[in-house]
Amino acid sequence: MIGIFKTNIGSPEERQQMIRAIASSFPVGSCHVDLDDCDKVLRIADLQVEENIIIEFVQKQGFVCEILE
């Protein structure tokens, strides 16, 4: 499954921090945050946990996160 989320991750440093945290905490494929997109889209390939778990995890890191529709 691919997870696509809207976030407020705003800097390259925050992006790197969040990608590392996700990759070290969950069995996922690649992670990417598009800082140029207005929705700061977080895309997670090969997501093997429910989307709400990722949302809660990202929110606990201090960022907004919701499913992008």
Side-chain angles (χ1 to χ4, degrees):
M1 174 169 79
I2 296 174
I4 301 176
F5 306 91
K6 176 180 178 176
T7 74
N8 68 338
I9 297 169
S11 71
E13 294 79 17
E14 291 174 340
R15 171 177 56 194
Q16 202 59 11
Q17 170 193 358
M18 195 70 260
I19 289 171
R20 281 190 196 126
I22 291 170
S24 67
S25 300
F26 300 100
V28 298
S30 62
C31 290
H32 178 74
V33 178
D34 185 352
L35 297 178
D36 295 326
D37 187 276
C38 65
D39 291 322
K40 310 299 185 202
V41 173
L42 166 63
R43 183 179 184 279
I44 304 173
D46 300 326
L47 183 62
Q48 297 178 26
V49 297
E50 292 184 29
E51 292 172 324
N52 66 327
I53 293 172
I54 296 293
I55 290 170
E56 290 175 18
F57 181 80
V58 173
Q59 290 173 342
K60 286 181 182 177
Q61 306 302 312
F63 299 105
V64 171
C65 186
E66 57 190 57
I67 295 173
L68 185 64
E69 307 225 7

